[in-house]
Amino acid sequence: PAVMNKARAMLDALMGPGRDVVEKDKGSAKEKFKDRTVCKGFLIGMCPLDASLLGGKRTFKVCEKIHSESMRGLFEAHPDKAKLSRDYEALSLQDLELAVRECDGHIANERQRIRDDVRRKKPPLPPIVNDRLSAMKRQATDMTEKAEKMDDDQHREKEALTSKANELMKEREEMLENETKKAAEAQPQEVVCDVCGTAYIGEDGNAAHLKFRIHDAYQRIRDRIAELRPKVEEVAKRRAEERADEQKKKRKEEWDKAMEKEQGKSKDTGESKASASRKRSGSRDQEKGKDHAKEKGKDQDKEQGNDQDKERDKDQEKLKERDQDQGKEKDKEKDKGREEEKDKGPETDRDRSKRAGSRKRGRTRSPSGKRRRG
C-alpha cells in the first residue's frame, strides 16, 4: 500500500487530480488547479512543507497536497491569475508564518538549553590551577588534623591553627570560583542561529551550518515572507476600505430611504394639519360670523330699543303736552265759570246745593253713561 500511495502521489503531481476522468467540459479541465487537493502555495512559488524545504525535517511532515508543474502551468495561463494570486498569496503567507513560528520556538528552546548547560557543566581548569588548589586543600587538612591532636592545655595554639586552616579553605574557594569563571569565558560558547535555530560553536561551526539545507530553507521562507507581507497587507487594507465604502454607501441609502419615508409622513401629517387648520379656520370664521350676527342682532335690538325708547319719550311728551293742554282748558273753564258767577251775582244756598247734586250724579255714572247701583 505504501508503494501504491507513493506512485499515486507521483502521478497526481505529474498529471493532476482526476487524471482518469474524461472531461466533458474543456473549460473545467483548465481549472483543475482550483481543486482543494492542489497546493496553492506551490502554485504561486513556494510551499514551506515541500520536500525540498522543510518537509520531513524537525517536526514537519511533507505536504500532502498535490505539487504539480502541470497545475502550475494551468494557473499561469488562467485569465484570472492576478485575482487568484492575491487570494493564494494570503493563504501561502499563513503557512509560511506558521513555519517561522515553529522555528522561533526552536530557537528559544536551544538558548535555554545552552544556559542550563553552562550552569550545570563546569569547564576544565588548567593543570597548574588544579595543582595549586589541591596543595591548598592538603595544607588546610593537615592543619586541621594537627589542631585536633593537641591537648586541652594548648587551646590557644589549637584555635590559631584551626582559624588558619579555615582561612586557607576560604581562599581556595575564591580561587576556584575565579578560575572557573575565567575558564568559562575562555571556552568557546554555543551560539544559536537567528534564521534556522541551529546551534554552533565558533566561526568554523557557523560556516558549516550555513551550508545546511534547513538553513537555506528557512532563509528562503523568511525572504518570501518579507516579499509577500506588504502585498497581502495592502490588499487587505484596500478590501477593508472597499467594505467600509460599501457599508457607508449602504448606510447612506438606508438613511435616504428613511428620510424619504419620514418626509412622506411629514407631508401627510402636514396635509392633515393643513386640512385640520382649514377646518379650524372655517369653524373660527363660522363662530366669528355667528358672533358678528349676534353683535349685529344686539345692535339691531339696541337700535330698536332706542327707537322704542324714543317713541315712548315722544308718547310721554305728547301725553304731557295733552295734560298741559287739558290743564289749560280746565283753567280756562274755571276762569270762565268765575266770570259767569261774577256776572250772575252772589250764589245762593239753593244754587250751590243744586250744583253739588249735579256733580254727585255725574260721578256715579259709569263710562257707558249709565248710573251704577249703590
Side-chain angles (χ1 to χ4, degrees):
V3 176
M4 292 179 64
N5 291 336
K6 187 175 181 181
R8 185 180 297 108
M10 291 177 64
L11 290 172
D12 288 340
L14 291 172
M15 303 177 65
R19 59 188 178 279
D20 297 329
V21 179
V22 178
E23 295 290 344
K24 297 180 181 180
D25 187 1
K26 292 183 179 180
S28 62
K30 294 180 180 180
E31 296 189 352
K32 286 183 178 181
F33 66 89
K34 293 184 179 180
D35 192 271
R36 61 184 181 85
T37 60
V38 178
C39 179
K40 304 306 185 287
F42 180 83
L43 292 179
I44 62 171
M46 180 181 291
C47 173
L49 300 183
D50 189 81
S52 62
L53 295 175
L54 298 179
K57 300 176 181 65
R58 289 185 182 169
T59 60
F60 296 107
K61 295 181 180 180
V62 178
C63 181
E64 297 178 353
K65 294 185 177 181
I66 297 171
H67 291 192
S68 171
E69 290 295 336
S70 64
M71 295 295 103
R72 182 180 285 176
L74 293 175
F75 169 70
E76 293 291 337
H78 199 274
D80 294 335
K81 176 191 172 184
K83 180 179 181 301
L84 295 172
S85 294
R86 291 192 290 270
D87 297 334
Y88 294 167
E89 284 172 354
L91 295 174
S92 178
L93 182 62
Q94 295 177 3
D95 295 337
L96 295 170
E97 289 177 339
L98 177 63
V100 168
R101 284 197 295 271
E102 189 279 337
C103 182
D104 292 340
H106 180 77
I107 291 171
N109 293 335
E110 282 294 288
R111 287 175 177 169
Q112 184 61 42
R113 177 189 63 78
I114 292 171
R115 287 193 292 269
D116 294 340
D117 289 346
V118 170
R119 288 194 296 267
R120 185 173 62 253
K121 297 178 181 179
K122 294 182 180 180
L125 300 177
I128 188 171
V129 174
N130 286 329
D131 292 343
R132 177 61 181 163
L133 293 173
S134 298
M136 293 174 72
K137 185 176 181 179
R138 286 195 300 270
Q139 186 177 358
T141 302
D142 293 341
M143 289 180 183
T144 301
E145 292 177 352
K146 186 177 180 180
E148 290 177 353
K149 292 178 181 179
M150 287 183 178
D151 296 333
D152 293 337
D153 58 350
Q154 297 177 329
H155 61 277
R156 292 184 178 179
E157 291 83 355
K158 185 177 181 179
E159 288 179 358
L161 196 58
T162 301
S163 177
K164 189 175 180 180
N166 291 336
E167 289 178 359
L168 187 59
M169 287 300 295
K170 184 177 180 180
E171 182 180 353
R172 180 183 178 278
E173 291 296 329
E174 291 177 356
M175 182 179 178
L176 177 61
E177 183 178 355
N178 292 333
E179 292 297 329
T180 301
K181 187 176 181 180
K182 290 178 182 180
E185 292 175 354
Q187 187 180 9
Q189 298 292 325
E190 273 190 296
V191 180
V192 180
C193 177
D194 293 332
V195 175
C196 65
T198 301
Y200 59 88
I201 298 175
E203 294 297 330
D204 295 338
N206 184 28
H209 110 276
L210 292 176
K211 298 177 181 179
F212 294 166
R213 290 176 61 185
I214 194 167
H215 179 85
D216 179 67
Y218 271 114
Q219 187 63 60
R220 290 171 59 188
I221 289 171
R222 291 181 184 273
D223 292 343
R224 182 65 172 169
I225 289 175
E227 176 187 353
L228 290 181
R229 183 174 288 159
K231 296 169 65 176
V232 172
E233 289 178 352
E234 180 64 26
V235 171
K237 181 179 178 181
R238 186 168 63 252
R239 288 179 176 176
E241 291 175 353
E242 290 175 356
R243 286 194 299 270
D245 292 339
E246 290 177 359
Q247 292 176 356
K248 186 176 180 181
K249 184 178 179 181
K250 185 177 180 181
R251 288 196 297 269
K252 186 177 182 303
E253 291 176 354
E254 292 176 352
W255 173 261
D256 292 339
K257 289 181 180 178
M259 290 301 294
E260 290 178 0
K261 188 176 180 180
E262 187 66 25
Q263 288 176 358
K265 289 182 178 179
S266 300
K267 186 176 180 181
D268 296 338
T269 305
E271 291 177 354
S272 300
K273 288 182 177 179
S275 178
S277 178
R278 287 194 296 270
K279 289 181 180 179
R280 287 195 298 271
S281 179
S283 298
R284 286 196 296 270
D285 293 339
Q286 290 178 358
E287 293 295 329
K288 287 181 179 179
K290 291 179 180 180
D291 295 338
H292 183 68
K294 288 180 180 180
E295 292 294 329
K296 189 175 181 181
K298 288 180 180 179
D299 293 339
Q300 291 176 353
D301 294 340
K302 187 175 181 180
E303 290 177 357
Q304 291 177 358
N306 292 333
D307 294 340
Q308 291 175 357
D309 292 338
K310 289 178 180 180
E311 292 293 331
R312 283 195 298 269
D313 293 338
K314 288 179 179 180
D315 293 338
Q316 290 177 359
E317 288 292 332
K318 290 179 180 180
L319 291 174
K320 187 176 181 181
E321 290 176 356
R322 189 178 62 187
D323 292 338
Q324 289 177 356
D325 294 338
Q326 289 178 358
K328 288 178 180 180
E329 290 292 332
K330 288 179 180 181
D331 291 337
K332 288 179 178 181
E333 289 179 355
K334 287 179 181 181
D335 294 337
K336 186 177 180 182
R338 289 191 192 102
E339 289 177 356
E340 288 177 354
E341 288 178 357
K342 287 179 180 181
D343 294 335
K344 288 179 179 181
E347 185 178 10
T348 61
D349 294 333
R350 186 177 179 180
D351 294 331
R352 281 194 296 271
S353 59
K354 287 181 178 180
R355 190 171 57 253
S358 179
R359 283 197 301 269
K360 184 176 181 182
R361 286 192 300 271
R363 282 195 301 267
T364 56
R365 292 182 180 273
S366 63
S368 60
K370 293 180 179 181
R371 182 180 299 177
R372 291 184 300 175
R373 291 179 182 178

